[in-house]
């Protein structure tokens, strides 16, 4: 441990046992605002270097809403909305408290550059890492804030999502943090699916979703729960989807604090609003020796354009428009047309073609929109693309309209593993003593799109919005959609995709393992690599060659919930920050997977 010029303690990330462990708090609750992702971090960096705020500007709205209630109830708010400028966010929260007449203590926890340490170093702007570099920190900085300052608010830079929740719980916290980090996606958000009898919950039930919360006991037992009587659903299926979300190898899920083994985790519903979670344990290598660092890097210029066609042979006109734009670009800048990708919205924009039916029905579509995206090395290429695309108004096929174009510089976050002893962090606190007015008006209107209060005319809310359906083994020997056998959710990490296969009837997993093979997965996702809606034979050969050389598939069995977790490497067109696809995250691929027809073998008794 070192000290800076102002006497603040500087720590490295080496894990140390605490001499006298004690709970971070006593009988206090927490609200965690997990608001940062790799894409939003890159965007915040671009805004900051352009003179804007390096922290999440939504902190003003959220804290103006929550702070009066949290201070009154003694609830601590923990958030990573500090992003690139946690101290700037701290100053903003103190300013908000002042305007509300509140007395608050606002702590920050953030990485500091090792180049700015040592005698005579100043803390002024030391929290802003050169070049926008940020490293995933663990729970330790937040724990120090809670124990050292007993603050009303803790603001961090980039920390692991689960660490925001782990810090105040300390026990089976990594499992709890991973389940809670996506908020309402655990309690029915992003789960409802009309037509799927296992997920067909009512539309109104999504109007009153409850944020999930965790109940931790002194012995480390864990329950996740939602408000009794709220909408949505919390059950085995929602927990299983979140458990496997973006974990990669479930036997070695790496966080800055611990490497966790999720393979034997199981869930047991105790009521319509509470689930018991058991089985998480440290992996053989209990803590990582290295931490993940994100380094902003320019990756070129994006140019895009869209145009609509309708009526007779509209798809063929879109095909002609694509051909013209590619040809015009080649005339001006030979060789750059290979940087373009095209999609037809209303036909194949998500590339969700079944492996048993690769044909595109051009005649059935009478309302489509051509979109073309290019990632270019030079700005002038992106600008030229906009010019050529706009020329479709005068030089393209008949009946095209509604053109929109744009271009922007793209930033990716390059990943690098660094020794944890070379990563340093510090904490600090600012307090404000205010005279609170007798009444603080809290305006919910600009934040809540649907009223959370129900008047006497509102229909009563059911205690459970989950359909209660008896499950049975899926039929064998006949072609059925995977929808009828399992459900799935997709996550992304850089250029890699992670999706789950969770059977409705648990024992069906043994038969699914015979079908869901690496080769099957590669065949299903191969259409994602098509650069055009109309690939010719040469393009398909190039696609398949590139896929065989770069795309790999890993399949993991998770016995505790009798499911599969699949990782597909190098399938997301470079990742969310530079992808040319409409669905940059790959979220819609879960339905591409589930729409595939499969023939299950007979069940083995």
């Amino acid at each position: 441990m070192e000290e800076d010029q102002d006497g603040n303690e500087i720590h490295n990330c080496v894990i140390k046992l605490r001499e006298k462990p004690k709970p971070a708090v006593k009988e206090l609750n927490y609200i965690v605002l997990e608001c940062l992702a790799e894409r939003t971090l890159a965007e915040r960096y671009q805004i900051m270097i352009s003179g804007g705020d390096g922290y999440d500007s939504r902190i003003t709205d959220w804290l103006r809403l929550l702070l009066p209630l949290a201070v009154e109830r003694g609830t601590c708010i923990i958030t990573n909305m500090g992003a690139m400028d946690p101290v700037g966010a701290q100053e903003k929260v103190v300013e908000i408290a002042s305007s509300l007449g509140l007395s608050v203590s606002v702590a920050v926890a953030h990485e500091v550059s090792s180049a700015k340490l040592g005698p005579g170093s100043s803390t002024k702007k030391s929290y802003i890492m050169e070049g926008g570099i940020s490293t995933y920190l663990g729970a330790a900085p937040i724990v120090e804030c809670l124990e050292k300052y007993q603050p009303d608010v803790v603001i961090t830079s980039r920390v692991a999502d689960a660490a925001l929740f782990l810090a105040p719980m300390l026990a089976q916290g990594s499992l709890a943090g991973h389940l809670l980090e996506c908020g309402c996606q655990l309690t029915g958000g992003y789960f409802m699916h009309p037509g799927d009898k296992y997920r067909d919950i009512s539309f109104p039930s999504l109007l009153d979703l409850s944020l999930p919360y965790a109940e931790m006991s002194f012995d480390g037992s864990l329950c996740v729960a939602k408000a009794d009587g709220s909408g949505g659903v919390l059950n085995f299926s929602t927990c299983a989807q979140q458990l496997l979300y973006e974990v990669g190898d479930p036997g070695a899920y790496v966080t800055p604090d611990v490497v966790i083994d999720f393979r034997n985790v199981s869930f047991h519903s105790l009521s319509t609003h509470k689930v018991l979670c058991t089985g998480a344990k440290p992996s053989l290598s209990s803590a990582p020796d290295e931490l993940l660092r994100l380094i902003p890097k320019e990756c070129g210029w994006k140019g895009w354009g869209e145009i609509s066609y309708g009526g007779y042979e509209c798809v063929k006109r879109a095909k002609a428009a694509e051909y013209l734009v590619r040809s015009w670009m080649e005339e001006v800048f030979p060789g750059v047309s290979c940087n373009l990708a095209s999609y037809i919205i209303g036909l194949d924009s998500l590339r969700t073609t079944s492996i048993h039916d690769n044909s595109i029905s051009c005649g059935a579509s009478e309302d489509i929109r051509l979109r073309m995206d290019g990632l270019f090395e030079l700005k002038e290429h992106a600008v030229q693309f906009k010019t050529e695309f706009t020329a479709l108004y005068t030089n393209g096929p008949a009946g095209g309209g509604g053109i929109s174009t744009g271009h922007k510089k793209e930033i990716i976050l390059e990943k690098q593993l660094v020794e944890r002893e070379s990563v340093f962090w510090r904490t600090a606190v600012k307090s404000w003593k205010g005279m609170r007015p007798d009444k603080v008006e809290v305006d919910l209107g600009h934040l809540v799109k649907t009223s959370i209060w129900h008047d006497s005319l509102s229909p009563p809310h059911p205690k459970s919005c989950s359909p209660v359906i008896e499950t049975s083994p899926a039929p064998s020997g006949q072609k059925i959609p995977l929808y009828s056998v399992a459900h799935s959710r997709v996550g992304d990490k850089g250029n890699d995709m992670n999706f789950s296969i969770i059977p409705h009837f648990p024992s069906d997993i043994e038969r699914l393992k015979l079908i869901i093979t690496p080769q099957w997965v590669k065949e299903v996702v191969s259409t994602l690599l098509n650069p055009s809606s109309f690939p010719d034979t040469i393009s398909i050969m190039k696609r398949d060659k590139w896929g065989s050389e770069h795309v790999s598939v890993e399949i993991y069995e998770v016995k505790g919930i009798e499911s599969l977790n699949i990782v597909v490497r190098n399938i997301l067109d470079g990742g969310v920050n530079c992808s040319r696809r409409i669905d940059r995250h790959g979220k819609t691929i879960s339905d591409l997977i589930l729409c595939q027809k499969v023939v299950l073998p007979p069940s083995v008794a």
Side-chain angles (χ1 to χ4, degrees):
M1 183 183 70
E2 302 181 35
E3 290 188 357
D4 59 27
Q5 183 174 317
D6 300 324
N8 296 298
E9 296 176 353
I10 305 294
H11 304 259
N12 66 23
C13 289
V14 174
I15 293 178
K16 310 174 186 71
L17 292 177
R18 298 153 74 199
E19 294 179 5
K20 295 181 179 180
K22 59 181 179 180
V25 294
K26 295 180 180 179
E27 299 179 359
L28 286 179
N29 296 320
Y30 298 84
I31 295 175
V32 176
L33 304 178
E34 196 286 289
C35 301
L36 201 58
E38 290 186 11
R39 176 157 181 77
T40 53
L41 191 65
E43 290 174 346
R44 190 51 54 188
Y45 172 67
Q46 287 185 290
I47 292 170
M48 184 181 71
I49 61 177
S50 299
D53 293 330
Y55 57 86
D56 191 330
S57 57
R58 295 174 299 172
I59 200 169
T60 300
D61 291 335
W62 279 112
L63 270 293
R64 191 170 291 279
L65 170 70
L66 294 175
L67 202 54
L69 305 174
V71 170
E72 181 179 343
R73 291 164 173 76
T75 301
C76 179
I77 299 171
I78 303 173
T79 181
N80 56 8
M81 296 178 87
M84 291 286 180
D85 186 3
V87 174
Q90 179 191 42
E91 293 171 352
K92 174 57 69 173
V93 173
V94 170
E95 178 186 316
I96 292 167
S98 173
S99 70
L100 296 174
L102 300 174
S103 296
V104 297
S105 175
V106 184
V108 289
H110 56 83
E111 184 180 3
V112 293
S113 171
S114 59
K116 298 177 181 178
L117 301 179
S121 64
S122 171
T123 60
K124 186 176 178 61
K125 296 292 184 181
S126 66
Y127 54 87
I128 297 181
M129 302 288 286
E130 294 179 6
I133 292 172
S134 57
T135 308
Y136 281 89
L137 301 178
I142 306 173
V143 172
E144 172 160 309
C145 285
L146 296 174
E147 293 186 345
K148 188 174 182 180
Y149 307 123
Q150 293 83 50
D152 301 290
V153 182
V154 179
I155 300 172
T156 74
S157 56
R158 192 33 157 158
V159 299
D161 296 343
L164 293 164
F165 302 84
L166 171 63
M169 292 188 294
L170 299 175
Q172 208 182 347
S174 289
L175 172 59
H178 181 65
L179 292 174
L180 296 176
E181 68 184 48
C182 291
C184 290
Q185 290 186 1
L186 185 66
T187 55
Y190 214 68
F191 181 76
M192 182 266 279
H193 200 301
D196 181 342
K197 65 181 181 180
Y198 299 101
R199 295 187 286 162
D200 197 3
I201 61 179
S202 69
F203 293 6
S205 73
L206 295 183
L207 295 177
D208 195 12
L209 291 180
S210 164
L211 283 167
Y213 60 93
E215 295 179 350
M216 301 290 300
S217 300
F218 67 91
D219 62 357
S221 62
L222 164 68
C223 288
V224 291
K226 69 183 185 76
D228 192 9
S230 61
V233 57
L234 174 66
N235 60 17
F236 175 93
S237 295
T238 63
C239 290
Q241 280 197 8
Q242 181 59 32
L243 175 71
L244 299 183
Y245 182 62
E246 297 182 346
V247 301
D249 179 358
Y253 176 49
V254 181
T255 76
D257 300 291
V258 63
V259 181
I260 319 158
D261 186 348
F262 283 157
R263 289 174 296 182
N264 292 308
V265 167
S266 59
F267 303 106
H268 310 276
S269 293
L270 303 180
S271 68
T272 59
H273 62 278
K274 185 179 293 187
V275 175
L276 175 67
C277 315
T278 62
K281 63 181 181 181
S283 184
L284 292 178
S285 53
S286 59
D289 296 323
E290 298 175 312
L291 299 177
L292 180 63
R293 172 167 287 173
L294 304 176
I295 305 172
K297 180 181 177 182
E298 293 183 7
C299 70
W301 286 83
K302 179 72 68 65
W304 66 90
E306 291 186 5
I307 186 171
S308 293
Y309 293 96
Y312 180 65
E313 297 289 18
C314 59
V315 174
K316 288 187 177 179
R317 280 178 281 144
K319 181 178 181 180
E322 180 205 9
Y323 167 79
L324 289 171
V325 173
R326 287 181 181 273
S327 300
W328 293 336
M329 285 297 293
E330 280 295 306
E331 290 176 1
V332 182
F333 296 113
V336 300
S337 66
C338 64
N339 296 332
L340 291 168
S342 65
Y343 310 88
I344 296 183
I345 300 171
L347 185 69
D348 74 331
S349 63
L350 302 176
R351 300 285 193 255
T352 54
T353 305
S354 170
I355 57 176
H356 300 291
D357 181 16
N358 289 318
S359 62
I360 294 178
S361 178
C362 298
S365 300
E366 294 187 349
D367 181 353
I368 56 95
R369 188 162 176 83
L370 170 68
R371 179 178 175 95
M372 298 183 71
D373 277 88
L375 184 61
F376 305 101
E377 183 178 348
L378 302 176
K379 179 180 180 179
E380 62 180 306
H381 294 169
V383 173
Q384 185 66 36
F385 171 78
K386 289 171 51 182
T387 301
E388 304 298 353
F389 198 92
T390 305
L392 290 171
Y393 260 148
T394 57
N395 295 37
I403 283 182
S404 65
T405 61
H407 75 281
K408 62 174 289 194
K409 180 186 289 187
E410 291 285 25
I411 300 289
I412 61 171
L413 296 177
E414 196 172 73
K415 297 182 178 181
Q416 181 183 93
L417 292 175
V418 294
E419 297 291 331
R420 67 165 57 244
E421 59 264 27
S422 66
V423 178
F424 297 85
W425 53 267
R426 66 181 284 267
T427 64
V429 67
K430 283 188 177 181
S431 299
W432 173 265
K433 299 294 182 183
M435 295 296 293
R436 184 172 181 176
D438 293 335
K439 184 178 181 181
V440 177
E441 295 294 333
V442 179
D443 179 14
L444 298 175
H446 64 295
L447 282 175
V448 183
K449 294 203 169 37
T450 304
S451 175
I452 61 175
W453 306 107
H454 297 278
D455 58 30
S456 58
L457 299 178
S458 300
H461 214 294
K463 291 290 183 182
S464 173
C465 300
S466 173
V468 179
I469 297 174
E470 292 295 326
T471 60
S472 58
S476 60
Q478 56 183 283
K479 189 177 291 187
I480 56 174
L482 196 51
Y483 273 117
S484 61
V485 186
H487 58 101
S488 176
R489 183 174 163 201
V490 168
D492 65 295
K493 285 294 182 184
N495 200 23
D496 303 334
M497 175 179 69
N498 187 152
F499 70 90
S500 53
I501 296 291
I502 305 167
H504 301 304
F505 189 75
S507 63
D508 281 342
I509 188 63
E510 296 302 323
R511 295 188 290 163
L512 284 171
K513 284 159 56 177
L514 301 175
I515 294 172
I516 311 298
T517 64
Q519 185 56 42
W520 184 90
V521 172
K522 290 184 77 169
E523 188 175 359
V524 169
V525 302
S526 64
T527 55
L528 296 172
L529 302 174
N530 287 339
S532 168
S533 297
F534 311 99
D536 55 25
T537 303
I538 295 177
S539 296
I540 292 174
M541 289 176 60
K542 288 182 178 179
R543 177 201 74 187
D544 293 343
K545 182 176 185 297
W546 191 93
S548 66
E549 294 174 351
H550 297 90
V551 178
S552 61
V553 176
E554 302 159 17
I555 300 179
Y556 301 95
E557 184 175 3
V558 189
K559 293 184 179 295
I561 56 172
E562 297 185 271
S563 301
L564 298 177
N565 198 47
I566 296 98
V567 178
V568 187
R569 307 286 184 190
N570 301 316
I571 194 64
L572 294 179
D573 195 37
V576 64
N577 288 313
C578 65
S579 173
R580 297 165 298 174
R581 295 178 190 157
I582 291 174
D583 176 15
R584 290 182 167 202
H585 295 85
K587 299 290 189 184
T588 57
I589 298 173
S590 60
D591 279 69
L592 162 63
I593 303 296
L594 293 175
C595 76
Q596 303 302 316
K597 300 290 184 67
V598 297
V599 178
L600 295 180
S603 299
V604 178

